[in-house]
Amino acid sequence: MKLSQTYLEPLYEQLKTEMSKEHVIHMDETPFKVIEENKTNSYFWVTRTTKEFSHHQLAVFHYRNTRSGQTIGEIVGSAYQGLIMCDGYGGYSDRLYPSANFGSCLVHIRREFVRIVQSLRPNRRNDSKAEQAIALLAPVFHTENQLKYQTSSEKCSERIRRVKPLLDKFYRYINNIKFPQGKLRAAIGNALKLKERVYRIVNTDLKLSEITGLKMYFFTGLNAALHVVPCNLSYDMICQKF
């Protein structure tokens, strides 16, 4: 383990340095159980560059035994001035990182409305306000996938012209729902809270959703080895352009 760490840790640190140079990155975290830790969950945090217009195609995994927002600064630096695409977790905090900008994953916002529809009886779904919200988001994703462009600036222009009006329509609808209750109220509140972050995608080359693809759930007792794992995963999986 120590030998691996000796050779791989410098690579891991270099990957972190390269990631912090990118003007747009994606970030997500997922829990898993480490038997030797005294906490309920530990976390893999993952950072990934965008698939388009980035300097390098990178994805770097970071092990921490906490979900604290302080981890973000440890990974990309507390003075990071780029844009971080993430979900609505409170650790991605403007207060903690005033120099950074945060975007918000539209899929996570949509998911709250989907859960409402799934909880309804089939004969009530089509007339529900949550179903209408989902229907208004569908052309946003469809139009995004149909955009034609060659450069980042062209992509932003196309989004302003074609995607933004669709987002406007969705937000007008949910904002005009009178006296929502229960889960619908929570879903609308979440979407409105993250509205400013959602609209930041219009001015960047971000995707509408997180692209980290981090889904790993397992138990491990190799606490010390986890500090080496990020180097292995990053080197083997995603350093094609180095």
Side-chain angles (χ1 to χ4, degrees), residues 9 12-13 16 29-34 37 39-46 60-77 223 226-228 230:
E9 191 163 2
Y12 170 64
E13 293 298 329
K16 285 173 58 180
E29 76 292 331
T30 196
F32 68 104
K33 181 65 178 176
V34 178
E37 291 279 11
K39 295 189 174 184
T40 302
N41 286 316
S42 294
Y43 292 85
F44 263 128
W45 294 70
V46 61
V60 186
F61 291 74
H62 317 262
Y63 167 73
R64 296 292 188 278
N65 65 0
T66 177
R67 202 187 182 196
S68 168
Q70 300 288 345
T71 303
I72 299 167
E74 295 172 5
I75 292 172
V76 296
N223 190 345
L226 289 169
H227 297 283
V228 179

Side-chain angles (χ1 to χ4, degrees), residues 138-150:
V140 176
F141 293 103
H142 176 74
T143 303
E144 167 75 11
N145 290 331
Q146 300 301 314
L147 294 181
K148 304 295 183 183
Y149 51 86
Q150 296 295 324

Side-chain angles (χ1 to χ4, degrees), residues 3-216:
L3 183 61
S4 297
Q5 191 167 358
T6 298
Y7 286 102
L8 291 176
E9 191 163 2
L11 172 61
Y12 170 64
E13 293 298 329
Q14 183 62 38
L15 288 168
K16 285 173 58 180
T17 299
E18 296 299 324
M19 187 70 67
S20 67
K21 295 177 182 178
E22 298 287 343
H23 75 284
V24 178
I25 63 174
H26 295 256
M27 185 175 289
D28 196 14
E29 76 292 331
T30 196
F32 68 104
K33 181 65 178 176
V34 178
I35 297 172
E36 294 175 1
E37 291 279 11
N38 293 322
K39 295 189 174 184
T40 302
N41 286 316
S42 294
Y43 292 85
F44 263 128
W45 294 70
V46 61
T47 50
R48 198 203 191 287
T49 57
T50 59
K51 289 186 176 180
E52 302 171 312
F53 314 124
S54 59
H55 296 103
H56 300 287
Q57 289 290 294
L58 300 174
V60 186
F61 291 74
H62 317 262
Y63 167 73
R64 296 292 188 278
N65 65 0
T66 177
R67 202 187 182 196
S68 168
Q70 300 288 345
T71 303
I72 299 167
E74 295 172 5
I75 292 172
V76 296
S78 58
Y80 179 72
Q81 297 182 3
L83 196 150
I84 300 174
M85 185 63 166
C86 54
D87 58 25
Y89 169 53
Y92 300 104
S93 167
D94 295 313
R95 179 184 59 82
L96 287 176
Y97 304 102
S99 298
N101 288 301
F102 293 97
S104 188
C105 173
L106 199 58
V107 169
H108 280 77
I109 291 173
R110 177 183 179 274
R111 186 179 299 163
E112 299 303 310
F113 294 98
V114 170
R115 287 171 176 165
I116 294 171
V117 172
Q118 291 174 339
S119 70
L120 299 174
R121 292 193 296 270
N123 63 340
R124 294 186 56 195
R125 291 178 179 178
N126 290 339
D127 296 329
S128 72
K129 292 180 172 61
E131 179 65 30
Q132 181 60 31
I134 295 169
L136 288 171
L137 285 175
V140 176
F141 293 103
H142 176 74
T143 303
E144 167 75 11
N145 290 331
Q146 300 301 314
L147 294 181
K148 304 295 183 183
Y149 51 86
Q150 296 295 324
T151 66
S152 178
S153 60
E154 287 179 6
K155 185 175 185 177
C156 292
S157 296
E158 282 295 285
R159 278 181 162 167
I160 292 171
R161 185 175 71 88
R162 299 183 60 192
V163 177
K164 183 179 180 296
L166 300 172
L167 279 175
D168 292 342
K169 190 174 182 180
F170 164 74
Y171 271 103
R172 278 196 304 270
Y173 174 75
I174 63 171
N175 201 46
N176 289 329
I177 295 175
K178 303 299 184 183
F179 309 114
Q181 301 295 317
K183 293 180 180 179
L184 180 62
R185 179 179 179 180
I188 292 172
N190 180 61
L192 293 175
K193 178 185 70 173
L194 297 172
K195 180 179 178 180
E196 181 180 351
R197 293 186 174 190
V198 169
Y199 273 84
R200 285 177 183 152
I201 66 169
V202 175
N203 299 313
T204 70
D205 52 33
L206 281 169
K207 290 180 70 67
L208 292 172
S209 59
E210 295 172 305
I211 57 172
T212 49
L214 177 58
K215 288 294 179 184
M216 301 184 302

